[in-house]
Amino acid sequence: MHGAVALIEIGAVILGLGLLGALSAKFSISPIPLYLLAGLAFGKGGILPLATSEEFTATGAEIGVILLLFTLGLEYTAPELVGTLRHNAVAGVVDLVLNAAPGVAVALLLGWGPVAAVALGGITYVTSSGITAKVLADLQWLGNREVPVVLSLLVFEDLTMAVYLPILTALLAGVGLMAGLTTLAIAAATITVILIVALRFGRYVERFVSSPNEEVLLLKVLGLTVLVAGVAQLLQVSAAVGAFLVGIALSGPLAHTARELLTPLRDLFAAVFFVFFGLHTDPKALPPMLGWALLLAAVGLATKAATGWWAARRAGIGPLGRARAGIALTPRGEFNIVIAGLAVSAGLNDRIGPLAAAYVLILAVAGPILARSLEPVVRWRQRRRGTEPEPVVEPA
């Protein structure tokens, strides 16, 4: 009976996602906000909680983020990644300072203490790689000139998380300095090894997974990506970083074929990820912290938009591309909830969870909507000023 109920719930969830996707396509909007709201409706404290299929949605959500970052990695080669990271390192530091500062300030203002300030600073800092990747794909922005800038900032953030999460975990656990440094060293070594393999031995990786049979190729690529992501996470590194680096290790026709084969799976599990986030947010816990969440969200929109605009301007990109870069960085999601979950599990503060959930939900919904409406608004303003509109796509 338990298995039958689980199958019914899983089938209903996937069918519901299809109907929501059709609705969003009809009105030419991103489906992400609908997926999130559906998760809220059927999660803890919602209309009809789904409990039996929780294990499936949790695993599916992890696979969704992994595939989103892997397909992003397929867009670029390893030399391009290193060059872009080197060129945008300053922008990455600016991103860190501008966007972590509001969270640190609010935690200290509320009297939550320095450890909570470190946690809330991480929550306000990091962009949702999963939502941003979905937005870039949905709006067909992947070929635009500003996308390498956006990706370099996302990778910088993910690599920063690989350093930040072990430090935060050590602070929450109250462990000694040596134990914290050991965890950090393991994370750094793992990133270095994966990056060296991607840079130096990418051709061997391609030779290993290559196959004239599409079924075999799909299984090899999917298995390798999830395997590396799992090993990376086991060694205190983001699974997203591992998946992204596997993607950049593949190039040429093989990358093109892998992208075509994995796109349907990516879309399915990405949708499950967004529903999973909503399922684990209790609507009743949000109102008390809504005021602070709205304030942080407004500041977060401004600071991320400023970061993207400035970084894209340094790369010589036009005003429309700068605006796209800024708005693409605004969504928050998976990492933010992970950080909040660590803080709540450690008993740090019972208000940090609802604040983080409300903050992330606002920006997870607002980000895709603002991205969808950006170009029409910019072009309307350009027409009013009598200036020549920029092309919708700025080829890379």
Side-chain angles (χ1 to χ4, degrees):
M1 180 62 72
H2 181 276
V5 174
L7 287 175
I8 290 170
E9 286 190 0
I10 292 169
V13 167
I14 295 175
L15 178 60
L17 292 176
L19 295 174
L20 291 174
L23 183 64
S24 67
K26 182 177 180 179
F27 292 99
S28 299
I29 61 172
S30 170
I32 294 172
L34 299 180
Y35 295 156
L36 290 169
L37 293 173
L40 275 177
F42 295 99
K44 299 176 181 177
I47 301 169
L48 183 63
L50 301 176
T52 311
S53 58
E54 184 173 348
E55 186 175 345
F56 166 79
T57 53
T59 305
E62 286 190 69
I63 294 174
V65 175
I66 288 168
L67 291 181
L68 281 168
L69 269 294
F70 170 72
T71 52
L72 272 182
L74 290 174
E75 298 290 331
Y76 300 94
T77 64
E80 287 173 341
L81 171 68
V82 172
T84 306
L85 280 176
R86 187 183 295 118
H87 181 71
N88 289 286
V90 175
V93 174
V94 170
D95 180 25
L96 172 61
V97 173
L98 275 182
N99 293 286
V104 172
V106 166
L108 295 177
L109 188 62
L110 292 173
W112 291 356
V115 178
V118 172
L120 194 56
I123 290 168
T124 58
Y125 161 56
V126 65
T127 296
S128 168
S129 299
I131 297 179
T132 295
K134 182 66 173 171
V135 168
L136 292 175
D138 283 349
L139 299 182
Q140 299 181 347
W141 286 1
L142 287 174
N144 293 356
R145 288 183 57 214
E146 73 275 3
V147 170
V149 176
V150 173
L151 289 183
S152 68
L153 289 172
L154 291 178
V155 174
F156 189 94
E157 289 182 0
D158 283 344
L159 295 176
T160 301
M161 284 294 104
V163 176
Y164 166 84
L165 289 176
I167 293 174
L168 177 63
T169 304
L171 289 174
L172 292 171
V175 301
L177 178 62
M178 287 306 299
L181 289 176
T182 300
T183 303
L184 183 59
I186 292 172
T190 303
I191 293 173
T192 302
V193 168
I194 295 176
L195 192 55
I196 288 174
V197 170
L199 284 168
R200 300 283 182 86
F201 305 104
R203 62 185 182 277
Y204 297 111
V205 176
E206 289 188 18
R207 191 177 303 168
F208 171 72
V209 300
S210 180
S211 172
N213 186 299
E214 290 189 348
E215 179 182 349
V216 173
L217 178 61
L218 170 64
L219 294 173
K220 280 186 174 182
V221 172
L222 180 61
L224 179 64
T225 303
V226 176
L227 175 64
V228 172
V231 171
Q233 187 162 295
L234 184 66
L235 296 174
Q236 309 297 322
V237 180
S238 160
V241 173
F244 184 87
L245 294 176
V246 172
I248 66 167
L250 306 180
S251 61
L254 179 60
H256 176 74
T257 305
R259 187 184 303 109
E260 288 188 337
L261 290 174
L262 284 171
T263 294
L265 281 177
R266 179 202 66 187
D267 292 342
L268 168 62
F269 287 111
V272 172
F273 160 70
F274 299 121
V275 171
F276 177 76
F277 169 70
L279 288 173
H280 285 74
T281 302
D282 187 351
K284 297 175 184 176
L286 304 183
M289 301 306 298
L290 191 56
W292 286 107
L294 285 168
L295 175 63
L296 281 175
V299 174
L301 281 170
T303 52
K304 282 292 184 182
T307 300
W309 179 280
W310 181 77
R313 184 179 180 182
R314 288 180 73 238
I317 294 166
L320 182 56
R322 297 173 204 168
R324 283 193 296 250
I327 213 70
L329 292 169
T330 57
R332 309 300 203 274
E334 60 273 16
F335 267 134
N336 316 80
I337 297 303
V338 167
I339 296 167
L342 289 173
V344 170
S345 299
L348 181 61
N349 190 297
D350 59 0
R351 291 182 292 171
I352 198 169
L355 173 58
Y359 171 77
V360 170
L361 183 62
I362 292 167
L363 291 180
V365 172
I369 291 174
L370 290 172
R372 173 71 64 174
S373 59
L374 173 67
E375 288 181 355
V377 171
V378 169
R379 295 185 184 287
W380 174 76
R381 289 189 63 186
Q382 287 174 335
R383 284 195 296 269
R384 286 200 64 181
R385 292 177 179 178
T387 57
E388 186 67 23
E390 292 183 52
V392 172
V393 177
E394 299 180 15

